[in-house]
Amino acid sequence: MRTQVKKRFYKILKVSRLLPILIGLLLSLSSAVTNAQDSSRFKILLRNYRFDPKTEKMSLSNKYPDTSMQEAESFRLIQFNGPVTRAQNKILKEKLGFSLDQYVPHHTFLEKVSPEQLNEVRKLDFYRADIVYEPAFKLDPDIGKHQFVTDQRKTQTGILLTVVAFPDASINQIAQQVKALGFTVLSITNEPQLKIKRLQARVNNAADAGAIAAIPAVLYIEELSEVTLNNNITQWVMQSNVNNSRPLWDHGLQGQGQIIGHIDGPIDMNHCFFIDNTNNTIRPDHRKVVGFRNASGNPANDHGTFSGGNAAGEDVNNDALSAAPNGNNGNAPRARISHGNLGDLDLNAGGGISFYNYLSQAAADGAFIHTNSWDPKNTNNYTQVSADADRFTWENEDHLIIFGPDNAGPIRPGSNAKNVLVVNATLQNPNQGTYSSGITNF
């Protein structure tokens, strides 16, 4: 009996000695999990880098020496210990002069700061870390890797870049610096009233983009997109999928009183869908087109006329209110259009106007819905056209931007914006029952 008691005692003693070790291991494991979660929560998510500026700052500093404190002002990624509250926002804007208009996940803002501002922000109890905005951070990693589909783009020499500047920069000065590096500037988008400044440049190879990124006033560089046109639609297919049955029209929903923003090739203003026989001058009381922007002076385009007709075309001789309306009238035949030429936009080689600009001008004409039957085929990355769309919808919450992508492949720029509506999938009559492959991935 004594022997059994002793054995039990020694077992309990051994277990009791192991408990502190087990508890220590569990605590260490819990701490490691917590630290990993914290590190993930504070990672800065750039297009080409993901890192915690506090725990990984030393390795980045070794690779990219921080010389910004030797300058009067520098661009830095400044991270806080959580979402910035209204009270903290007020301190940063009113006391430190921060703009807080360039947010980067997580809890980080890209700011132009003086040494004095940097010293002051580091004293705040909600400050966490900061790091210089390195030239390497400005480069899209897919530069030089795109596959193009049009003959025009395939025959372009070198690599075409979109160079985005900080809003307070002089884009003309940056253009001179790019030229001084030996590169060609193709066009400049200078819209200070919209805080948009960018240019297109031709370089010899992908490595040349790094030289432009070293210009302090450059915010980001990506390869210029290649825009192609998309569109297939029939009004009765959308409304009922019963031949010639249009219940929306039957209930009086024909787009009356609405203006649609339309960006595409120039509309043929002499087409029966758009002509105003009384006075065909573009004006607010024109029968069909209240605004028309064509800075490039391009001729009328079949696709623009087609897609505009699908949206709001109305036969001047057989309008929606006539006894025998034209069955090919658009989906909203009583609506009108504010048109912008797609070829003017700086997402095309040589274009010098932002997507945001033409959205804003359509809005000024009274448009709240904006239709776009096109997308860049060379990438599925989030690019400047996507950023323009998201900024516009953020600042104009009652507006809807619609994209009609092609019926295959991944979702592409514009369509991959966070706040747009993307519509595709069905084929044209009589094959509307045969669904296309649609968007295969996001």
Side-chain angles (χ1 to χ4, degrees):
M1 186 71 178
R2 287 181 179 179
T3 302
Q4 291 178 344
V5 170
K6 282 182 179 181
K7 286 181 179 179
R8 289 177 182 173
F9 173 76
Y10 286 125
K11 285 181 180 179
I12 293 171
L13 184 61
K14 287 179 181 179
V15 171
S16 65
R17 288 175 178 174
L18 287 172
L19 278 175
I21 298 174
L22 291 171
I23 292 171
L25 287 172
L26 289 172
L27 289 174
S28 298
L29 180 60
S30 174
S31 177
V33 171
T34 301
N35 290 337
Q37 291 174 340
D38 285 344
S39 179
S40 176
R41 186 164 65 95
F42 286 107
K43 278 191 179 295
I44 290 179
L45 306 181
L46 300 174
R47 176 75 177 87
N48 49 356
Y49 287 93
R50 298 189 173 202
F51 61 94
D52 184 325
K54 190 171 185 178
T55 62
E56 301 175 69
K57 183 176 180 180
M58 186 60 67
S59 61
L60 284 169
S61 295
N62 288 337
K63 188 174 182 180
Y64 309 110
D66 183 354
T67 59
S68 62
M69 293 306 292
Q70 300 171 13
E71 304 172 4
E73 292 181 310
S74 64
F75 292 99
R76 300 187 75 87
L77 293 164
I78 300 176
Q79 188 177 70
F80 302 97
N81 58 18
V84 172
T85 66
R86 290 185 179 180
Q88 293 168 347
N89 182 294
K90 186 175 182 180
I91 292 171
L92 292 169
K93 284 188 172 181
E94 295 183 5
K95 293 187 177 180
L96 273 69
F98 280 22
S99 62
L100 302 182
D101 58 2
Q102 296 277 355
Y103 176 77
V104 180
H106 290 103
H107 319 310
T108 303
F109 289 89
L110 177 56
E111 291 286 335
K112 185 178 183 180
V113 295
S114 66
E116 293 76 19
Q117 286 176 304
L118 191 57
N119 287 333
E120 288 302 313
V121 76
R122 286 172 174 173
K123 296 176 185 177
L124 298 175
D125 58 3
F126 55 92
Y127 161 87
R128 184 173 184 269
D130 67 86
I131 187 170
V132 68
Y133 187 57
E134 296 286 352
F137 296 164
K138 306 176 183 181
L139 296 171
D140 188 296
D142 289 337
I143 292 174
K145 300 177 183 178
H146 296 276
Q147 299 295 319
F148 299 103
V149 298
T150 63
D151 292 338
Q152 180 182 8
R153 192 59 188 274
K154 287 178 180 179
T155 56
Q156 288 276 358
T157 59
I159 294 177
L160 306 186
L161 301 175
T162 296
V163 180
V164 184
F166 283 96
D168 63 348
S170 167
I171 192 63
N172 293 319
Q173 183 177 347
I174 294 175
Q176 292 302 317
Q177 291 173 294
V178 171
K179 292 176 183 178
L181 291 170
F183 308 130
T184 302
V185 174
L186 302 176
S187 69
I188 293 175
T189 302
N190 189 16
E191 300 168 350
Q193 75 281 10
L194 303 177
K195 297 183 179 180
I196 294 175
K197 297 179 181 180
R198 25 193 204 237
L199 61 80
Q200 295 175 7
R202 177 185 281 110
V203 298
N204 300 316
N205 52 62
D208 289 339
I212 299 177
I215 299 173
V218 169
L219 171 62
Y220 195 69
I221 302 174
E222 63 190 22
E223 191 160 359
L224 183 66
S225 59
E226 175 192 35
V227 178
T228 57
L229 303 169
N230 312 308
N231 198 277
N232 264 325
I233 203 168
T234 303
Q235 0 93 348
W236 61 261
V237 171
M238 291 184 63
Q239 294 187 36
S240 69
N241 199 28
V242 175
N243 191 26
N244 290 323
S245 173
R246 302 173 180 87
L248 294 180
W249 290 6
D250 294 341
H251 284 80
L253 298 175
Q254 299 181 339
Q256 55 269 39
Q258 299 300 311
I259 293 173
I260 300 172
H262 174 258
I263 297 177
D264 208 300
I267 288 174
D268 181 357
M269 289 302 301
N270 291 313
H271 192 282
C272 66
F273 275 0
F274 303 104
I275 193 170
D276 185 330
N277 286 331
T278 302
N279 178 1
N280 205 31
T281 304
I282 308 298
R283 64 194 192 282
D285 62 346
H286 188 280
R287 184 183 77 93
K288 292 306 296 181
V289 183
V290 302
F292 195 98
R293 291 163 286 282
N294 185 8
S296 304
N298 297 140
N301 174 270
D302 289 346
H303 189 275
T305 303
F306 174 65
S307 65
N310 275 331
E314 184 181 33
D315 187 350
V316 67
N317 300 309
N318 298 280
D319 64 32
L321 301 180
S322 66
N326 188 331
N328 293 318
N329 283 341
N331 285 281
R334 302 304 293 171
R336 296 185 294 162
I337 283 177
S338 175
H339 172 76
N341 177 17
L342 175 63
D344 295 341
L345 302 189
D346 61 3
L347 47 92
N348 302 285
I353 297 173
S354 69
F355 182 43
Y356 181 97
N357 186 325
Y358 270 6
L359 290 171
S360 298
Q361 291 199 51
D365 285 339
F368 286 86
I369 299 172
H370 309 264
T371 181
N372 308 275
S373 297
W374 48 266
D375 57 18
K377 293 290 189 298
N378 58 306
T379 180
N380 60 346
N381 293 335
Y382 185 98
T383 66
Q384 290 307 305
V385 66
S386 310
D388 280 4
D390 278 334
R391 179 188 163 196
F392 181 82
T393 51
W394 172 259
E395 295 174 353
N396 301 274
E397 294 182 353
D398 49 356
H399 287 245
L400 175 65
I401 299 176
I402 303 172
F403 277 92
D406 67 359
N407 288 330
I411 193 167
R412 295 187 173 93
S415 298
N416 65 8
K418 298 176 177 63
N419 296 299
V420 302
L421 174 64
V422 183
V423 181
N424 84 334
T426 186
L427 297 180
Q428 177 74 309
N429 174 58
N431 300 311
Q432 68 268 28
T434 303
Y435 293 96
S436 70
S437 58
I439 295 171
T440 56
N441 65 74
F442 287 82

